Amino acid sequence: MAHLRLGVNIDHVATVRNARGSAYPDPLRAALLAEEAGADGITAHLREDRRHISDDDITALMRGLTAPLNLEMAATEEMQAIALRHRPHAVCIVPEKREERTTEGGLEVAREENRLAHFIAPLREAGARVSLFIGADAPQVEAAARIGAAVVELHTGAYCDFHAEGRMEERDAELKRLQEMSAFAASLGLEVHAGHGLTYDTVCPVAAIPEVAELNIGHFLIGEAIFRGLAPAIAEMRRLMDKARGDDEAEG
Ligand code: PXP
């Protein structure tokens, strides 16, 4: 099976920094360490309320990273201008509500097809790989393909929540939807990514989906870094992903 990329989301390094209004911990330093520890890319979400990642962080990441940056952002004019200024490798469009604690659902691509088509056109022209963060839903996948997105990122939040709550039948049903929609999206020519809420306990079945090319993981890894250090926390995630993918050297 093709190599499964790991994108490490460093938003919550900025959350810790911002809790005290200090200059540390530095998200760029974490991102560079993540690169060394085996991350294939770095993901950062510039939220409209700047609750974690700041504009200066995006500038620093663009200057300092070797690995590709995946900029997550809402479909607003302000964010479009920022993406066009920085020209990151990838732009992942996510729905955003100010009152939510984290990105709760996927984009309504089917309902907002025209608006999103116009929104992503200049990003595509600027050379960004445009990804749409969606639920595992056929109409959303079809609409993403129609408007010319290169990538869909499937929201794994519900699957992870069901697992955490011990609702295993619902978890398995959600996993089946993720598997089916990954195959469907790939059949339409879309690259498939997945993420949100993944942990050591939940990553393997998602990593084993053959069409999934990339996982984006953040909150759990930054938390786990408190206990193991960031590099070992990432290395263990990498090992589990490789094991799920059938790479024998990852056994153990
Ligand atoms: N993918 C997308 C599109 C996201 O919005 C997020 C959260 O910012 C993630 C992946 C990573 O989720 P988590 O931090 O729960 O691992």
Side-chain angles (χ1 to χ4, degrees), residues 5-8 31 33-42 67-68 234 238:
R5 292 195 303 271
L6 170 60
V8 172
L33 194 58
E35 275 185 17
E36 266 178 52
D40 300 285
I42 299 298
I234 291 170
R238 180 78 262 169

Side-chain angles (χ1 to χ4, degrees), residues 9 11 45 72 92 94 103 133 153 195-198 216-219:
N9 180 316
D11 291 351
H45 184 175
E72 288 179 7
C92 180
V94 301
T103 312
F133 189 44
E153 178 158 334
H196 208 284
L198 292 169
N216 283 301
I217 309 181
H219 183 252

Side-chain angles (χ1 to χ4, degrees), residues 97-169:
K97 294 193 218 104
R98 281 195 180 245
E99 65 278 11
E100 71 190 357
R101 261 189 302 184
T102 181
T103 312
E104 283 162 4
L107 276 175
E108 275 295 339
V109 191
R111 208 184 297 154
E112 289 198 80
E113 198 167 322
N114 262 342
R115 188 177 88 81
L116 285 170
H118 282 104
F119 184 82
I120 69 171
L123 299 169
R124 291 173 60 197
E125 277 158 28
R129 276 185 79 69
V130 174
S131 166
L132 302 178
F133 189 44
I134 59 173
D137 227 7
Q140 309 301 343
V141 174
E142 285 164 349
R146 273 197 302 273
I147 68 171
V151 180
V152 284
E153 178 158 334
L154 300 181
H155 199 312
T156 53
Y159 156 76
C160 292
D161 287 346
F162 286 138
H163 179 89
E165 290 161 18
R167 294 159 66 181
M168 297 314 179
E169 271 180 33

